[in-house]
Amino acid sequence: MESENLIKQELEELQKQLGKKQKFEDAVSSLKSLLQQSYPSASTSLRKSFYTVICRVATVLKTRYTAPGFWSAGLGLFEQAISFVSEPSEKEHLKACIAQARENLHLEDNPSQTLQTAVNRENRGYLFEGHLTVDQEPPQPDWMVQANLLAAAARLFEAESSQGLATNGSTEDDAASVLEMLRNRLEEVVPLMETGGPVAPRVPPASKEVVAKLPVISLTEEILANMGKDAECAICRENLVLNDNMQELPCKHTFHPPCLKPWLEEHNSCPICRYELQTDDHAYESWKEREKEAEEERKGAANALRGGEFMYV
């Protein structure tokens, strides 16, 4: 037990060294040696301590040290660690770390492994208000179902005219499937088409110039204390620690810069409060302005109506 306490102290010291750029690679090398020597006979508590430090290596690589030499050191650690851990969740996380390290080092020579990693990510649920759900994403709205079904039907009818459904069994099955979906949703889709329902355009990516100007702060002890004990990045779900770099949105919510950039490219909204950044799409920005003005007019009309009701009471 005393020897395990000494190993835990050594792990704590190595975790501190990970925060110093000039000591990072030496700390990772020492961690690999310690893992090799002590993990096989370690208690559950000590194994958790090892895993915590390994996760910290992954976080530091994503948020602070992005040079190939650092990623190469991390890759070696992740590949060694995955051969030791037995917890399924830990193995999955390490697989993701290995995939990301290989991607950064341009070592994507196993397409099937990369595809499986992507499938695993797709099956993890979806991010809603800063929390990763367990369930699958809820059904699409009617207007999106309408658009997707009609687009699929158009593609199939185009294939029919160029190839002929009678000679292509696969296309025939696909067509039957899409037409069956159209029939099942007919009562919902047709009224929307007739009334021209409120179809909002897809939100374009955030302006790269706007994203580049977002302030980056380094977490101090005071900031961490204000954020609370279990503060984490709402995108990658990693716990925040001293000296982490965080990028701040105008809504004052903060995230790791490497996590936030791809998120804004795909969603362009704060994962917590849904605040939208400005885009480079002039048509979309004009639509937003029109919607804002229309909303103000609706509110004004509603207030005027309520005022009239009071006058005649």
Side-chain angles (χ1 to χ4, degrees):
M1 188 65 182
E2 183 178 351
S3 61
E4 287 210 347
N5 288 334
L6 292 174
I7 296 173
K8 284 186 178 181
Q9 290 177 11
E10 191 170 349
L11 287 173
E12 290 175 2
E13 181 59 32
L14 288 175
Q15 184 165 347
K16 292 178 183 177
Q17 292 179 19
L18 294 174
K20 300 175 182 178
K21 194 170 187 178
Q22 66 273 21
K23 294 186 177 181
F24 178 83
E25 290 177 276
D26 288 339
V28 171
S29 178
S30 298
L31 182 56
K32 287 176 64 179
S33 299
L34 196 59
L35 188 72
Q36 182 80 33
Q37 297 167 7
S38 306
Y39 193 92
S41 59
S43 66
T44 301
S45 174
L46 182 56
R47 290 186 175 190
K48 289 294 182 185
S49 297
F50 269 107
Y51 182 67
T52 297
V53 181
I54 293 168
C55 288
R56 181 56 190 160
V57 171
T59 300
V60 169
L61 285 172
K62 288 189 293 185
T63 59
R64 299 171 68 181
Y65 311 147
T66 57
F70 297 123
W71 277 107
S72 180
L75 177 61
L77 173 65
F78 303 146
E79 289 178 337
Q80 177 177 302
I82 201 171
S83 65
F84 285 113
V85 300
S86 56
E87 288 286 336
S89 61
E90 294 180 357
K91 277 189 174 293
E92 285 302 310
H93 184 237
L94 287 171
K95 284 180 182 178
C97 292
I98 290 171
Q100 186 169 22
R102 294 182 67 82
E103 181 180 349
N104 277 275
L105 293 168
H106 307 292
L107 299 175
E108 294 294 339
D109 55 1
N110 190 344
S112 63
Q113 181 179 351
T114 304
L115 178 60
Q116 186 59 48
T117 302
V119 170
N120 290 340
R121 288 175 180 168
E122 282 294 318
N123 292 335
R124 288 190 308 177
Y126 68 104
L127 196 65
F128 178 70
E129 294 189 354
H131 298 283
L132 192 64
T133 67
V134 176
D135 300 326
Q136 294 181 349
E137 193 164 359
Q140 296 175 333
D142 287 336
W143 66 266
M144 189 177 293
V145 173
Q146 169 202 333
N148 291 341
L149 290 180
L150 292 180
R155 287 195 299 270
L156 289 170
F157 292 143
E158 184 179 8
E160 177 186 4
S161 63
S162 61
Q163 298 178 10
L165 289 177
T167 59
N168 192 329
S170 174
T171 307
E172 185 175 4
D173 292 340
D174 290 343
S177 175
V178 171
L179 291 174
E180 180 66 13
M181 291 173 66
L182 279 168
R183 187 182 67 80
N184 291 338
R185 296 300 299 270
L186 195 59
E187 292 182 357
E188 298 173 17
V189 171
V190 170
L192 187 66
M193 294 170 65
E194 292 176 346
T195 59
V199 180
R202 185 182 183 279
V203 182
S207 166
K208 292 182 179 180
E209 183 179 354
V210 171
V211 174
K213 290 181 179 179
L214 292 175
V216 176
I217 61 173
S218 181
L219 295 182
T220 63
E221 292 182 356
E222 182 181 358
I223 294 175
L224 278 175
N226 291 334
M227 296 177 75
K229 180 181 177 182
D230 297 321
E232 61 184 10
C233 172
I235 299 176
C236 71
R237 314 299 296 176
E238 290 283 353
N239 287 332
L240 305 179
V241 298
L242 188 65
N243 295 326
D244 264 1
N245 286 333
M246 305 294 288
Q247 202 156 19
E248 185 178 73
L249 292 175
C251 58
K252 300 303 179 183
H253 292 125
T254 59
F255 311 90
H256 291 136
C259 301
L260 184 60
K261 183 179 178 182
W263 175 266
L264 291 177
E265 287 176 354
E266 184 174 356
H267 304 282
N268 188 20
S269 64
C270 171
I272 297 174
C273 70
R274 294 297 189 248
Y275 174 90
E276 275 190 23
L277 291 177
Q278 182 181 346
T279 74
D280 291 325
D281 190 319
H282 298 301
Y284 177 76
E285 293 299 325
S286 298
W287 175 85
K288 275 205 308 186
E289 284 298 319
R290 291 194 300 271
E291 281 298 299
K292 184 178 178 181
E293 292 172 1
E295 180 63 23
E296 290 175 354
E297 289 178 2
R298 287 192 291 269
K299 288 180 179 178
N303 290 335
L305 181 61
R306 284 196 293 269
E309 290 174 350
F310 288 129
M311 287 177 64
Y312 290 99
V313 171

